Amino acid sequence: MGVDMRMNLSLFLSIYISSILFLLFFHIVFLGLWYLGLISRVAGRRPEILTIFQNCAVISVACCVFYSHCGNRAMLGKRPFDRKASNWFSFWKERNTWLAKLIHMNELKDQVCSSWFAPVGSASDYPLLSKWVIYGELACNGSCPGSSDEISPIYSLWATFIGLYIANYVVERSTGWALTHPLPVEEYEKLKKNQMKPDFLDMVPWYSGTSADLFNTVFDLLVSVTLFVGRFDMRMMQAAMSRVHEGAHEHDLFYDHLSEKEDLWFDFMADTGDGGNSSYAVARLLAQPSLQLTRDDSVLTLPRGDLLLIGGDLAYPNPSGFTYERRFFCPFEYALQPPAWYKPNHIAVNKPELPEGIHELKEYNGPQCFLIPGNHDWFDGLNTFMRYICHKSWVGGWFMPQKKSYFALQLPKRWWVFGLDLSLHSDIDVYQFKFFSELVKNKVGENDSVIIMTHEPHWLLDWYWNGASGENVSHLILDYLKGRCKLRIAGDLHHYMRHSCVPSEGPVHVHHLLVNGCGGAFLHPTHVFSNFSKFYGKTYECKAAYPSFDDSSRIALGNILKFRKKNWQFDFIGGIIYFILVFSTFPQCKLDHILQDDSFSGHLRSFFGTVWSAFVYVLEHSFVSLVGLLILLIAAIAFVPSKLARKKRAIIGILHVSAHLTAALILMLLLEIGLETCIRHKLLATSGYHSLYQWYQSVEIEHFPDPTGLRSRIEQWTFGLYPACIKYLMSAFDVPEVMAVTRSNICKNGIQSLSRGGAVIYYASVFLYFWVFSTPVVSLVFGSYLYICINWLHVHFDEAFSSLRIANYKSFTRFHINRNGDLEVFTLAIDKVPKEWKLDPEWDVEAKQAQQWSHRRKYPSKWCASAGQQDPMNTVRIVDQFVIRQTEKPEFVTSNGSVGH
């Protein structure tokens, strides 16, 4: 492309380092003057070092571009610049047409370099500065006697940019210009509100090789499995603490304050606390006083639930104060603000802490929230859940009277909700079982209806993993409830699916199975579970799935197309793994048979023959690569889900590793062929490790003459650091030269000829280039593996979709116990979650009015979508709707002959 990369790289480094040193010196002097009181106090704010680096980079790039097109000479041979012809019309009139000028690009370039960037003069024009400037090239053909007296245009351009930066900085900081020209208050407030945005966190990067949160999650999980499972259980501690207070056990776990209502609206969601956008989108819908939806050409009005049930996994990836506050509480507080008097750091000692003026829980008519923990909440032994849920009273504007991690709610019209805590056992403990079994015996009527809420959907996971879990839960449902469990609701799987029992002979233990884990976490597939049909000996039919099976299968294709885009941090580990696999094969010294073959097919045969030879070398002679290969093979086999037979797991793992090893060997050989080609054409390995600096020195002497000895004085004043920094920086940037020179030495004298430091430098240089080449390939291979597994083998449903970090397809379920005692169920969903939010002007107007409960506002949520048509209020729709009839009481005849129930 006509660009000399050596010249631009070396010139860029020189100007960049010089600019940084000069500006740092300027800022130190400026801060010193401010400290002495010679400059306005507004100048005391320190500059950001990143801003200095960015400005220096821009200055350096501008100078390099100028040199590439105009060189370093003052074009005095051209006619002087005519200011009368400076306007475009005169330019077009005197030089025929602009089109003709474009045809003669060289003439146009000379015109620009000689006129628009006119020379600033010679050293004789500035005698005081003649010893401090860099001189330009001589404007003559061939060699010229002596040295140029003209000031370098590049130096002039650099000095101009530096001067503009200094002038702008001094004016901005010392004169207080911005303070003396403020915006009007109304305009400032309006501008400030328009620029306000919520501080939401992004979706958790599950494949990040650099995330401290993920390492903490793995550590917490290992500790939890080792310590808490089977050894210490917080649920046992809760039961023990309840027994300390006489009579408090049932009061802590059983709530009947909603049972006397004529009807009740309540909501269910699960698996929130991942991405802020998705969590807030769902919370915004939950917080609205009502939702207007269209269904079958009719408009439905669904009021806000008086009760919100959350089915676990409140924050990802691990439970901590930070994740709970930023990923769970923050979106809910934006959607529905807590009372003005509420303090976030307050610890609720005696719950429920009722608001002032309210004496009983049944008197409070605002929205309430009950929660159960999920497996992610148990990673720290339930410590964070107890601290933030059981000892706090508010999650946003929802009141939390809950004291323990499990509970029973008596609802109107003989409906019940049992919230079970499964811990990491996937089952309830004996104390929990005792509480619910006694509750069923003593309080739940024979014709009552019970909703069982758990975090994990046993029916789907047991079918998928070919296992059996939740024995105590099954015992409670089969032997105690005996058909009174009308509905089971759960999360954990981040999609929506509903299965209903197919009518048949015999008792039905559970009538409907509902999974809705679309509260904010990444999406899970539905097509993997499309063949589920049996539970408790009964046949179930899938009535609804969101997203649909076809959409779910199509979304999985994103692993091939988007894996690297969504998980760019995975490059860190992937590149290292590939380099370890081929570490022992560097360098490849004998490549003549590939480069000298006459036909294309011969090239390919020789190429892949060399790849096979490298593979054999890894197996027979290498140590590092072989150990890395064995570790990767073990990890790949262990990575395959255990639901498959061991033989299948081994085959899949071997094929997976083989694909990675083949790709790594091909990339290694391509890199070696590229180096060998450059060496043969004498583009590399011609003059040692510092060839770029030596070349630059020769060019500097020729094109940047220094008759006054300015460079030698700078070298003396910096104790030799100035040329040394440039020299070693150029060597560090000239990685191909280091690779080529060392490779040639190894091929001639063997690897033993290298010192330990030389070997480190060589392999580090090779790693830099190989890592860049390999990262796209490792992501492509791994993403293809996930796609094949999820769509063809129906395994890796968690790994294949967590990689996509999909914030869309979010939903929650709204229930209504009507006056007849029937349970109406509506599942509401939004297909696309907004990514940009702005301050809701309607909320802002209400916020300025007299203080009132947020749940009484017409517009309770602070943020709305920047694009109105994408706001959840405008895109929400019903994806499933059904009714569960209340069990009718049997009729009987009383002693006086009347019919009773």
Side-chain angles (χ1 to χ4, degrees):
M1 293 186 295
V3 178
D4 190 336
M5 290 304 297
R6 292 185 302 175
M7 187 64 232
N8 281 278
L9 176 60
S10 53
L11 185 63
F12 174 85
L13 291 174
S14 301
I15 298 177
Y16 187 62
I17 298 298
S18 302
S19 302
I20 291 176
L21 294 176
F22 191 91
L23 291 184
L24 287 177
F25 176 75
F26 160 73
H27 283 294
I28 292 173
V29 172
F30 195 80
L31 288 176
L33 295 175
W34 168 82
Y35 182 79
L36 295 175
L38 301 177
I39 298 178
S40 172
R41 306 306 297 177
V42 75
R45 184 166 57 92
R46 297 181 179 179
E48 296 184 2
I49 192 67
L50 182 60
T51 304
I52 297 176
F53 290 161
Q54 289 174 343
N55 280 283
C56 291
V58 171
I59 293 173
S60 304
V61 170
C63 292
C64 290
V65 170
F66 176 80
Y67 182 80
S68 296
H69 290 279
C70 300
N72 190 40
R73 68 181 186 273
M75 297 184 181
L76 300 178
K78 302 293 180 180
R79 68 174 180 85
F81 180 59
D82 184 7
R83 297 191 178 274
K84 294 181 180 179
S86 60
N87 61 73
W88 287 108
F89 177 77
S90 299
F91 185 85
W92 169 80
K93 184 176 180 180
E94 292 187 6
R95 300 294 180 184
N96 298 323
T97 64
W98 177 252
L99 180 61
K101 211 63 178 177
L102 282 176
I103 296 175
H104 304 285
M105 292 302 297
N106 290 332
E107 297 180 10
L108 177 62
K109 185 182 72 173
D110 292 343
Q111 180 70 28
V112 171
C113 294
S114 62
S115 298
W116 294 0
F117 295 98
V120 297
S122 63
S124 59
D125 299 326
Y126 305 97
L128 295 178
L129 300 177
S130 60
K131 294 182 178 181
W132 304 97
V133 300
I134 304 295
Y135 292 95
E137 300 175 65
L138 291 175
C140 61
N141 296 325
S143 60
C144 299
S147 60
S148 174
D149 191 41
E150 299 299 329
I151 297 176
S152 166
I154 296 179
Y155 170 78
S156 303
L157 187 63
W158 174 82
T160 301
F161 283 136
I162 292 293
L164 287 174
Y165 175 89
I166 293 175
N168 176 75
Y169 188 87
V170 171
V171 170
E172 181 183 285
R173 294 300 181 93
S174 61
T175 63
W177 182 88
L179 298 180
T180 59
H181 296 76
L183 288 172
V185 176
E186 295 180 358
E187 293 185 17
Y188 174 77
E189 292 294 333
K190 183 178 180 180
L191 179 64
K192 183 178 179 181
K193 290 178 181 179
N194 292 336
Q195 294 176 346
M196 290 179 63
K197 292 184 179 180
D199 53 343
F200 291 147
L201 296 180
D202 199 3
M203 305 289 285
V204 173
W206 294 99
Y207 284 86
S208 171
T210 58
S211 175
D213 281 340
L214 296 184
F215 287 110
N216 291 336
T217 301
V218 174
F219 177 76
D220 289 341
L221 180 59
L222 292 175
V223 172
S224 298
V225 172
T226 304
L227 179 61
F228 297 111
V229 175
R231 291 173 174 82
F232 174 79
D233 196 327
M234 180 61 74
R235 299 173 299 181
M236 302 169 69
M237 180 66 71
Q238 294 179 72
M241 291 302 294
S242 295
R243 290 189 175 186
V244 172
H245 305 281
E246 295 295 334
H249 183 57
E250 183 177 297
H251 178 71
D252 289 348
L253 302 171
F254 172 63
Y255 302 86
D256 60 353
H257 58 286
L258 300 171
S259 60
E260 298 178 1
K261 289 180 175 289
E262 289 296 323
D263 67 335
L264 179 70
W265 289 87
F266 63 100
D267 299 323
F268 170 75
M269 68 173 297
D271 301 275
T272 183
D274 191 350
N277 292 322
S278 53
S279 298
Y280 175 75
V282 176
R284 174 171 166 78
L285 293 174
L286 292 170
Q288 301 308 308
S290 63
L291 296 175
Q292 304 288 334
L293 301 113
T294 302
R295 180 77 170 181
D296 298 331
D297 298 328
S298 62
V299 178
L300 296 177
T301 300
L302 306 182
R304 176 177 54 218
D306 297 319
L307 172 66
L308 172 60
L309 302 174
I310 301 182
D313 279 359
L314 307 183
Y316 295 91
N318 60 323
S320 66
F322 175 80
T323 55
Y324 263 56
E325 291 173 4
R326 293 297 307 278
R327 295 190 180 274
F328 176 56
F329 280 89
C330 177
F332 278 81
E333 289 174 354
Y334 279 143
L336 192 67
Q337 288 73 44
W341 43 262
Y342 170 70
K343 297 180 179 179
N345 296 327
H346 175 70
I347 297 177
V349 179
N350 297 313
K351 295 182 72 174
E353 294 184 338
L354 298 171
E356 186 177 352
I358 298 177
H359 303 91
E360 289 184 308
L361 187 56
K362 64 175 61 179
E363 297 178 7
Y364 179 71
N365 58 3
Q368 302 172 35
C369 182
F370 284 81
L371 312 91
I372 59 172
N375 56 305
H376 283 267
D377 302 306
W378 266 96
F379 284 173
D380 67 342
L382 210 63
N383 177 61
T384 306
F385 182 91
M386 296 296 295
R387 181 157 48 100
Y388 279 87
I389 302 302
C390 298
H391 292 287
K392 286 186 180 294
S393 296
W394 297 90
V395 50
W398 286 268
F399 181 61
M400 291 191 299
Q402 176 181 347
K403 298 181 180 180
K404 307 296 180 184
S405 63
Y406 55 95
F407 54 86
L409 291 170
Q410 185 177 2
L411 305 182
K413 308 299 181 181
R414 296 180 286 117
W415 281 92
W416 296 76
V417 172
F418 290 178
L420 310 184
D421 178 6
L422 303 181
S423 180
L424 296 174
H425 300 265
S426 299
D427 202 0
I428 57 177
D429 62 312
V430 292
Y431 299 99
Q432 201 172 168
F433 178 84
K434 180 181 179 181
F435 165 73
F436 285 109
S437 60
E438 292 179 351
L439 188 68
V440 171
K441 288 181 180 179
N442 300 328
K443 291 186 177 293
V444 179
E446 290 297 325
N447 298 297
D448 288 3
S449 300
V450 178
I451 301 171
I452 298 290
M453 179 174 71
T454 59
H455 175 63
E456 295 180 358
H458 290 136
W459 54 98
L460 288 181
L461 295 178
D462 287 350
W463 168 83
Y464 178 83
W465 294 108
N466 300 320
S469 62
E471 294 181 359
N472 293 340
V473 176
S474 299
H475 184 31
L476 179 68
I477 293 174
L478 299 178
D479 300 329
Y480 285 83
L481 289 176
K482 297 179 180 179
R484 285 174 285 183
C485 180
K486 292 295 185 70
L487 174 66
R488 285 197 63 177
I489 56 178
D492 195 39
L493 297 177
H494 309 160
H495 59 228
Y496 175 77
M497 292 188 76
R498 174 173 68 91
H499 293 83
S500 297
C501 185
V502 177
S504 62
E505 296 182 357
V508 178
H509 299 289
V510 182
H511 295 261
H512 301 276
L513 306 169
L514 186 149
V515 180
N516 193 345
C518 301
F522 65 88
L523 182 68
H524 268 145
T526 55
H527 67 281
V528 173
F529 304 94
S530 58
N531 295 326
F532 165 79
S533 60
K534 293 289 185 178
F535 187 57
Y536 288 156
K538 291 293 182 179
T539 300
Y540 286 80
E541 180 183 2
C542 182
K543 295 294 186 179
Y546 179 76
S548 66
F549 296 149
D550 292 337
D551 288 342
S552 175
S553 180
R554 175 182 53 82
I555 292 171
L557 184 62
N559 277 291
I560 298 178
L561 304 177
K562 301 178 181 179
F563 182 88
R564 192 183 186 214
K565 179 182 178 182
K566 296 285 186 178
N567 307 277
W568 58 267
Q569 298 100 324
F570 183 72
D571 291 351
F572 180 77
I573 290 181
I576 294 176
I577 291 175
Y578 267 35
F579 181 70
I580 293 175
L581 290 178
V582 297
F583 176 86
S584 301
T585 62
F586 285 105
Q588 293 287 315
C589 297
K590 298 179 181 180
L591 301 176
D592 294 340
H593 60 291
I594 299 178
L595 298 175
Q596 295 177 359
D597 209 301
D598 296 332
S599 63
F600 180 74
S601 59
H603 284 303
L604 287 181
R605 283 194 301 271
S606 301
F607 181 87
F608 286 105
T610 307
V611 170
W612 175 257
S613 299
F615 170 68
V616 173
Y617 178 84
V618 168
L619 296 180
E620 294 181 352
H621 302 287
S622 71
F623 177 76
V624 175
S625 296
L626 182 60
V627 171
L629 179 62
L630 293 176
I631 293 175
L632 182 63
L633 181 61
I634 295 172
I637 296 174
F639 185 64
V640 180
S642 58
K643 66 172 293 184
L644 299 178
R646 290 183 179 180
K647 186 176 181 179
K648 289 184 177 180
R649 293 176 64 191
I651 293 174
I652 293 174
I654 292 173
L655 292 176
H656 186 195
V657 173
S658 299
H660 284 297
L661 180 60
T662 302
L665 290 173
I666 290 175
L667 290 173
M668 175 275 301
L669 192 54
L670 288 174
L671 180 60
E672 286 292 292
I673 290 175
L675 279 173
E676 180 69 21
T677 302
C678 291
I679 292 173
R680 292 194 176 195
H681 289 80
K682 298 188 182 301
L683 299 176
L684 293 174
T686 57
S687 56
Y689 292 109
H690 298 293
S691 60
L692 180 60
Y693 179 71
Q694 295 169 4
W695 175 87
Y696 177 70
Q697 273 189 318
S698 63
V699 174
E700 186 180 45
I701 294 173
E702 179 181 355
H703 295 277
F704 297 86
D706 182 23
T708 60
L710 178 60
R711 295 191 191 95
S712 61
R713 291 199 299 272
I714 295 177
E715 180 178 356
Q716 180 181 359
W717 293 337
T718 59
F719 301 100
L721 291 177
Y722 166 71
C725 290
I726 299 297
K727 178 179 180 180
Y728 288 102
L729 272 175
M730 288 184 179
S731 178
F733 276 86
D734 198 13
V735 176
E737 188 71 24
V738 175
M739 293 167 54
V741 172
T742 310
R743 181 180 182 275
S744 299
N745 294 336
I746 295 175
C747 291
K748 289 180 181 179
N749 307 315
I751 191 69
Q752 298 81 4
S753 62
L754 282 184
S755 64
R756 183 170 298 179
V760 170
I761 292 174
Y762 169 69
Y763 284 109
S765 303
V766 172
F767 170 75
L768 289 176
Y769 268 77
F770 187 80
W771 185 86
V772 173
F773 292 154
S774 63
T775 49
V777 178
V778 65
S779 297
L780 178 63
V781 173
F782 188 73
S784 300
Y785 164 79
L786 291 178
Y787 171 75
I788 292 172
C789 287
I790 189 65
N791 270 7
W792 295 2
L793 305 176
H794 285 188
V795 295
H796 285 313
F797 73 89
D798 201 17
E799 296 84 356
F801 270 64
S802 62
S803 64
L804 299 177
R805 302 167 64 191
I806 297 174
N808 299 323
Y809 300 100
K810 293 296 165 275
S811 68
F812 68 96
T813 301
R814 180 156 289 179
F815 300 91
H816 179 216
I817 302 176
N818 60 27
R819 295 178 181 271
N820 297 325
D822 297 333
L823 182 67
E824 300 173 338
V825 186
F826 308 87
T827 296
L828 312 180
I830 48 176
D831 297 332
K832 189 172 183 178
V833 171
K835 296 181 181 179
E836 297 292 334
W837 305 90
K838 66 178 182 180
L839 186 67
D840 189 344
E842 303 291 347
W843 176 90
D844 191 40
V845 172
E846 281 191 325
K848 294 179 180 178
Q849 298 174 359
Q851 291 289 338
Q852 58 177 329
W853 291 92
S854 59
H855 64 266
R856 295 176 181 172
R857 294 179 179 176
K858 185 178 180 181
Y859 303 97
S861 300
K862 184 174 182 178
W863 309 104
C864 61
S866 298
Q869 67 274 14
Q870 295 181 0
D871 193 88
M873 296 289 296
N874 299 323
T875 60
V876 62
R877 63 187 180 94
I878 298 176
V879 295
D880 189 25
Q881 178 181 353
F882 65 103
V883 178
I884 303 177
R885 303 296 178 184
Q886 172 64 285
T887 303
E888 296 183 0
K889 291 183 178 181
E891 296 183 351
F892 60 91
V893 180
T894 61
S895 58
N896 59 7
S898 61
V899 177
H901 292 275

